[in-house]
Amino acid sequence: MTGWIVPRSDTDLAAAATTLFAAEFGVRPDGVWAAPGRVNLIGEHVDYAEGLSLPIALPHSTAVAVRGRGDGRMRLRSGLEPWDGAVADVGPGAPAGWAAYLAGVVWALRRTGLPDSAFGVDAAVASTVPIGAGLSSSAALECALALAVADLSGLPADDAGRAVLASCCVAAENEVALAPTGGMDQAIALRGQAGHALLVDSADGSVAAVPLDLAAHGLTLLVIDTRAPHRLVDGQYAQRRRSVEQAAARLGVPSLRHAVVGDLRRLGDPVLTRRARHVVGEIGRVRETLRLLESGRIRDVGAVLTASHVSLRDDFEVSCPELDSAVDAALAAGALGARMTGGGFGGSAIALVEEGEVDVVAGQVHSSARASGLEFPAFLRLGDGGRAARRIA
Ligand code: GLA
């Protein structure tokens, strides 16, 4: 039997977070805020190279019930290890674990000029974004709290305000959780638009909504959580980022956004060349995808997704047997294209499929994992996609 991870309505999610909040703290929260998980359609491992990516918000969200305290202290609750502390206790590596993503956001928001005393919080979390599945559960957590604090302290939450919040969330992730990620996940969680993918240009931080109505074309995106655990704080992600920065330095350009394939032979080193070839090629594939979407040739995007997977698997070497098995099985079952999505080394894949064939493709991905002795994957439907960070109660 294939297992589906279904989203909850905002009302249900708000009720779950409120119930936990009331049980933990004995009072009602000031409100509940939510932010979505994401899949990246294409543009992988390029955000830290000033590249282009095209993420989409999932209908699965993380909700945070929050009450402002006004004393700079924090009490953070979820189903995991609770954390109590103050802004002064937060710094590189502290707290560890899930609480880093919330405490780190409060810590980073100091840079907006608010005094610590303005935003102590009690917070309780409820979520349908699977953790460690490469679907940005951490960015969803950060962005929901960032918006909560902004609303409670009167910070602007228009797109410019949200861009500032997104950079605080990235700082939390880089400087407190010590995961050296780029900014794509926070951009989509805070600045996405319903019914659209978001073109994120990491060279200047600008975003543009790209209409994406797969259903109108009889298509859908199947998300496959391979259940192979994925952790960005492990060394491999950081190592890839270093290689990309090193390649740019050797070529004498500020980032690989400024390189073309012809430049790469000057790198000499075969590993650096392959890493850089992925980045330069992937930015080209994002442009190609935009052209295909604009001209309504959505089915042709499938081949571009598959080419992205091959590059991530062979040149960038961030795939793994579970992701390759999911992609190969989806393609064999008739998917128009498939690729790993997110940081890799485990986590999730996406497959572009005809709407009527979702169950067949999911069934074959499941059977193939079983035949190879792999963990059974779980599946998510993108449906109409999700909504960016918002107040839900
Ligand atoms: C993770 C990071 C993002 C991005 C992707 C790979 O999701 O958080 O910043 O680098 O990996 O595209």
Side-chain angles (χ1 to χ4, degrees):
M1 278 310 292
T2 44
W4 292 89
I5 300 174
V6 289
R8 293 168 83 171
S9 69
D10 280 359
T11 311
D12 280 4
L13 211 50
T18 302
T19 302
L20 178 63
F21 189 97
E24 290 287 340
F25 304 124
V27 285
R28 286 188 63 79
D30 293 333
V32 186
W33 288 260
R38 65 97 190 86
V39 286
N40 187 16
L41 182 63
I42 195 153
E44 213 67 85
H45 279 280
V46 299
D47 59 349
Y48 49 78
E50 298 193 322
L52 300 170
S53 13
L54 203 53
I56 309 169
L58 285 171
H60 304 68
S61 284
T62 296
V64 186
V66 179
R67 189 176 168 101
R69 297 173 52 102
D71 62 359
R73 294 196 61 79
M74 287 174 261
R75 292 188 293 173
L76 309 177
R77 303 290 184 268
S78 67
L80 305 168
E81 187 72 11
W83 189 79
D84 289 359
V87 176
D89 302 328
V90 182
W98 73 277
Y101 299 105
L102 293 183
V105 165
V106 175
W107 173 87
L109 279 163
R110 283 184 307 182
R111 297 181 193 175
T112 62
L114 284 179
D116 293 353
S117 60
F119 48 72
V121 290
D122 288 335
V125 177
S127 183
T128 57
V129 184
I131 295 174
L135 300 174
S136 280
S137 57
S138 41
L141 203 52
E142 294 152 11
C143 295
L145 183 66
L147 187 65
V149 173
D151 280 356
L152 291 174
S153 30
L155 290 176
D158 55 358
D159 188 63
R162 283 170 177 249
V164 173
L165 297 180
S167 65
C168 290
C169 293
V170 175
E173 191 146 334
N174 291 174
E175 297 172 48
V176 177
L178 302 180
T181 49
M184 165 179 74
D185 305 339
Q186 294 77 11
I188 179 68
L190 277 159
R191 304 173 71 192
Q193 270 186 35
H196 293 70
L198 190 71
L199 176 64
V200 179
D201 185 338
S202 297
D204 60 6
S206 64
V207 299
V210 176
L212 186 72
D213 189 356
L214 293 174
H217 294 262
L219 295 172
T220 190
L221 211 55
L222 172 67
V223 184
I224 306 158
D225 168 9
T226 64
R227 292 215 167 111
H230 132 113
R231 294 193 63 232
L232 296 178
V233 285
D234 285 347
Q236 289 286 344
Y237 181 96
Q239 213 178 70
R240 293 302 180 283
R241 183 171 179 156
R242 269 198 305 277
S243 301
V244 165
E245 286 163 358
Q246 208 184 337
R250 278 205 198 174
L251 294 174
V253 290
S255 72
L256 287 183
R257 176 73 175 272
H258 302 270
V260 294
V261 173
D263 295 335
L264 303 184
R265 63 177 111 66
R266 285 200 282 121
L267 283 169
D269 179 273
V271 174
L272 273 193
T273 304
R274 283 192 283 117
R275 302 291 189 254
R277 188 166 61 201
H278 165 72
V279 172
V280 173
E282 185 77 355
I283 294 171
R285 283 184 286 275
V286 175
R287 296 190 199 283
E288 171 71 3
T289 301
L290 290 169
R291 276 193 293 273
L292 291 170
L293 291 178
E294 258 166 40
S295 54
R297 291 167 57 201
I298 304 200
R299 282 178 174 71
D300 293 343
V301 170
V304 188
L305 301 185
T306 306
S308 165
H309 184 75
V310 169
S311 174
L312 287 156
R313 183 191 66 199
D314 299 344
D315 275 351
F316 216 62
E317 296 182 280
V318 292
S319 189
C320 64
E322 291 86 348
L323 287 167
D324 293 340
S325 158
V327 166
D328 292 347
L331 292 173
L336 297 161
R339 59 183 290 274
M340 55 155 278
T341 188
F345 310 108
S348 296
I350 52 172
L352 182 65
V353 294
E354 303 288 348
E355 209 155 45
E357 293 183 8
V358 178
D359 289 323
V360 174
V361 174
Q364 291 217 25
V365 170
H366 175 90
S367 309
S368 151
R370 193 172 55 187
S372 310
L374 301 172
E375 187 86 34
F376 294 168
F379 298 91
L380 298 83
R381 283 176 207 271
L382 177 69
D384 295 332
R387 292 169 53 218
R390 62 215 179 266
R391 185 172 186 159
I392 60 171

